């Protein structure tokens, strides 16, 4: 599978994101196209920043509840075409049905994207994949709304099987229940795992839908770049407070300009020799420590198994809540003093504890 690093941006078929110059792919534009004027002004202001290489606008909006603004629909397609003619920037829209694919293609949309509510539904993804047969338009695939990377992979496989070879991924966070500072918590580990499984696919971050507000946008965008993402999709609007959808998270093209300016772009590959040898030394130390960790964990499981024999012979339960609470308290207090976060200590030792229970279970219930 290929990345969309080589999507043509203009008549010269220059690559939008070539691996050599590592120009990130930056997508911006309104959550929704609302009026022709709004689309054109936003597009012009974004083009003036010279920091965008793909214009976005939602025209079919999947809304959680009916009665909200559901997008202008295909009547907005000519506005995007015009924005493209005026600015020279390629354009992208979200599609969720075969008919929308067909209409977008009729208006020379350059890239299509699958939204989170589409990726989650294999029927919809398959319908789109079938509609894409015989075309070679680049497709961006957002993660599904629920934290399930198998569904995300399934969408990549379906689209890829339809003959599309320019596919990219967009990480927009995952729905959860309860209060968090994010609208859709990023759960970075899932996107990192997706990157590991598809090292050749471009991974973009959509801080707008992760954050749901403007305050955290920069922090999330920078973090994604630090994690070697290939670019960003950020919603922008000429009058964010009065946007018909996602008002709290949109920023003006000027604010977008400032945000992109502030980002520190990092590189994955080290070219400098001194730096390489410094990395090498530290990494050997890290590898050594990891090996020791594995050995120690294995020794812990052996001790746990011996204890399991005693528990079995004396009919004692595997779990003794008081003992587990004591262990946790001791580890938390020591670990925090040594600079580890509470959250990490809890997650790490919960996993160690579960593995210990499984080892004892095997001894006690062979
Ligand atoms: C959007 O990009 O406006 C959108 C609806 O995003 P998501 O599919 O990530 O919710
Ligand atoms: Mn939106």
């Amino acid at each position: 599978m290929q990345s969309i690093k080589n999507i043509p941006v203009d008549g010269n078929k220059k690559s939008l994101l070539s691996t050599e110059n590592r120009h990130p792919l930056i997508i911006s534009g309104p959550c929704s196209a609302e009026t022709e004027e709004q689309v054109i002004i936003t597009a012009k202001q974004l083009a003036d920043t010279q920091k965008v290489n793909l214009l976005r606008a939602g025209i079919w909006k999947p809304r959680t509840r009916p009665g909200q603004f559901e997008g202008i629909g295909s009547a907005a397609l000519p506005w995007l075409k015009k924005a493209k003619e005026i600015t020279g920037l390629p354009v992208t829209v979200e599609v969720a049905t075969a008919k929308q694919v067909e209409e977008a293609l009729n208006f020379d949309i350059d890239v299509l994207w699958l939204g989170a509510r589409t990726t989650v539904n294999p029927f919809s993804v398959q319908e789109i994949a079938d509609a894409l047969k015989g075309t070679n338009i680049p497709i961006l695939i957002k993660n599904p709304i629920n934290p399930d990377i198998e569904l995300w992979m399934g969408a990549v496989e379906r689209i890829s099987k339809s003959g599309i070879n320019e596919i990219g991924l967009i990480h927009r966070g995952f729905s959860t229940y309860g209060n968090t500072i994010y609208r859709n918590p990023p759960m970075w580990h899932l996107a990192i795992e997706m990157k590991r499984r598809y090292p050749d696919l471009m991974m973009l971050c959509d801080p707008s839908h992760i954050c749901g507000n403007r305050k955290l946008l920069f922090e999330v965008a920078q973090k994604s770049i630090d994690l070697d993402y290939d670019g960003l999709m950020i919603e922008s609007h000429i009058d964010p407070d009065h946007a018909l959808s996602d008002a709290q998270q949109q920023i003006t093209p000027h604010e977008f300009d400032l945000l992109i300016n502030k980002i520190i772009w990092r590189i994955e590959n080290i070219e400098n020799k001194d730096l390489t040898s410094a990395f090498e030394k530290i990494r050997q130390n890290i590898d050594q420590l990891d090996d020791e960790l594995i050995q120690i964990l294995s020794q812990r499981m052996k001790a746990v198994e011996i204890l399991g024999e005693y528990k079995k012979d004396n009919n004692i339960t595997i779990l003794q809540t008081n003992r587990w609470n004591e262990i946790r308290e001791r580890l938390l207090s020591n670990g925090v003093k040594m600079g580890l976060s509470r959250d990490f200590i809890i997650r790490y030792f919960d996993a160690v504890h579960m593995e210990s229970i499984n080892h004892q279970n095997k001894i006690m219930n062979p």
Side-chain angles (χ1 to χ4, degrees), residues 60-125:
W60 297 285
K61 300 301 296 177
R63 304 312 301 275
T64 306
R65 307 273 304 271
Q68 297 172 312
F69 175 64
E70 297 199 325
I72 296 291
S74 49
L77 284 168
W79 308 343
L80 284 172
K81 200 167 174 198
K82 192 162 165 192
K84 174 174 161 177
E85 277 157 16
I86 294 173
T87 62
L89 288 168
V91 290
T92 181
V93 298
E94 173 179 352
V95 289
T97 66
K99 186 155 181 283
Q100 292 171 3
V101 170
E102 195 190 310
E103 291 184 329
L105 293 175
N106 284 340
F107 276 87
D108 295 331
I109 300 297
D110 301 272
V111 175
L112 302 177
W113 91 80
L114 269 58
R117 291 164 192 77
T118 301
T119 307
V120 81
N121 182 351
F123 287 133
S124 301
V125 176

Side-chain angles (χ1 to χ4, degrees), residues 31 56 61 94 113 115-117 142 172 206 209 235:
C31 176
R56 66 152 277 157
K61 300 301 296 177
E94 173 179 352
W113 91 80
R117 291 164 192 77
K142 287 201 177 194
R172 51 77 80 195
D206 171 351
H209 291 90
E235 288 184 339

Side-chain angles (χ1 to χ4, degrees), residues 31-42:
C31 176
S32 303
E34 298 168 6
T35 64
E36 176 168 344
E37 197 193 8
Q38 170 241 9
V39 170
I40 303 295
I41 299 178
T42 313

